[in-house]
Amino acid sequence: MSEQAGPSKYGGAPRHHKPKPFAPIDFEPFAGGADPARVSEAAHLAAQALVRHGRDSDDPVVTQRLVKLADEQGLEAIAEMWAESPARSLPGALWRLYALRAATVQDPERISVYFRAGRDTAQVSNVVAGAAEPPGAEEMTAMADAILSGAFDGEFDVALERSAAFCRVVALGQATIADGAEHANEAHASKLTRNSHQLVKTAEDLEHAANAWRLGELD
């Protein structure tokens, strides 16, 4: 990773020009900053400003720029801002939306395999997630973009619920594949099972955040 950094216009955290590869679908622990109080304050202010900016604009170009924020700034820069925020908070929810989109865009083929493996059992979540048929790599990328776009040009709680449903379908697919691989590749099956459990927890956090948003309590 490059040592050069510049100030971020969203929270004061340094922006790394060449962020190291990061696979959020694995939900590996991410190191936080040194001043929790200031980091938390900056995270909340940045999240509030970003959502407000997106929802106050009816310009699709603005929405597209916000969707691709992690592509342009680097996912690590967003992680430095939001990854340590409570899951059931506005910055925590935004982090999960961006991280899930990044994971999907990074490897849509793999995500589509998980999604197809889980969609028939998780039929309700499949419908809520809103993937086109058949759910291949392109459809996964389009759905991830549409969900994040909806956070800025649609109903924020609906975007959170669609993302939660996406997590549930993928998690069920991972669990299904893990069951089939348990004897052939125990280590791989164990990792898939862990990831599945983490995604279910993420889905629960997103659903809680959606309900808090409707009550005006998500900050």
Side-chain angles (χ1 to χ4, degrees):
M1 182 175 63
S2 170
E3 295 298 326
Q4 296 179 341
S8 166
K9 63 180 179 180
Y10 290 104
R15 178 172 66 85
H16 297 271
H17 299 291
K18 293 182 180 180
K20 66 180 181 180
F22 180 56
I25 204 67
D26 294 329
F27 286 89
E28 299 292 346
F30 202 93
D35 190 338
R38 294 187 63 184
V39 169
S40 177
E41 180 183 10
H44 282 79
L45 290 175
Q48 292 163 4
L50 197 68
V51 172
R52 184 171 59 250
H53 177 57
R55 297 180 65 78
D56 286 348
S57 174
D58 58 1
D59 186 348
V61 175
V62 171
T63 300
Q64 186 72 358
R65 286 176 57 193
L66 292 173
V67 169
K68 294 186 177 297
L69 181 64
D71 301 344
E72 297 171 358
Q73 300 293 323
L75 187 63
E76 190 169 277
I78 294 179
E80 288 174 352
M81 236 185 346
W82 292 336
E84 295 298 318
S85 299
R88 301 182 179 190
S89 68
L90 182 58
L94 275 175
W95 160 244
R96 281 153 182 77
L97 289 179
Y98 274 105
L100 288 165
R101 176 190 175 273
T104 304
V105 171
Q106 183 180 34
D107 196 349
E109 289 285 355
R110 180 165 62 111
I111 301 304
S112 69
V113 169
Y114 298 152
F115 196 92
R116 286 195 300 271
R119 65 177 177 144
D120 290 337
T121 303
Q123 293 183 8
V124 174
S125 292
N126 180 32
V127 172
V128 174
E133 294 290 340
E138 291 184 6
E139 288 76 17
M140 291 295 99
T141 300
M143 181 177 65
D145 283 349
I147 289 173
L148 188 51
S149 294
F152 303 113
D153 64 8
E155 298 298 327
F156 192 74
D157 56 327
V158 172
L160 295 175
E161 288 177 335
R162 287 187 67 189
S163 187
F166 170 76
C167 287
R168 290 192 180 278
V169 176
V170 171
L172 185 57
Q174 289 177 326
T176 300
I177 293 172
D179 288 343
E182 186 174 3
H183 298 296
N185 190 334
E186 185 175 349
H188 180 58
S190 295
K191 182 178 181 180
L192 283 176
T193 299
R194 288 195 304 271
N195 289 347
S196 175
H197 291 162
Q198 289 172 317
L199 276 178
V200 170
K201 177 62 168 60
T202 297
E204 293 171 350
D205 289 334
L206 289 166
E207 289 160 354
H208 184 279
N211 186 58
W213 176 267
R214 285 191 290 269
L215 295 174
E217 298 174 354
L218 188 68
D219 55 17

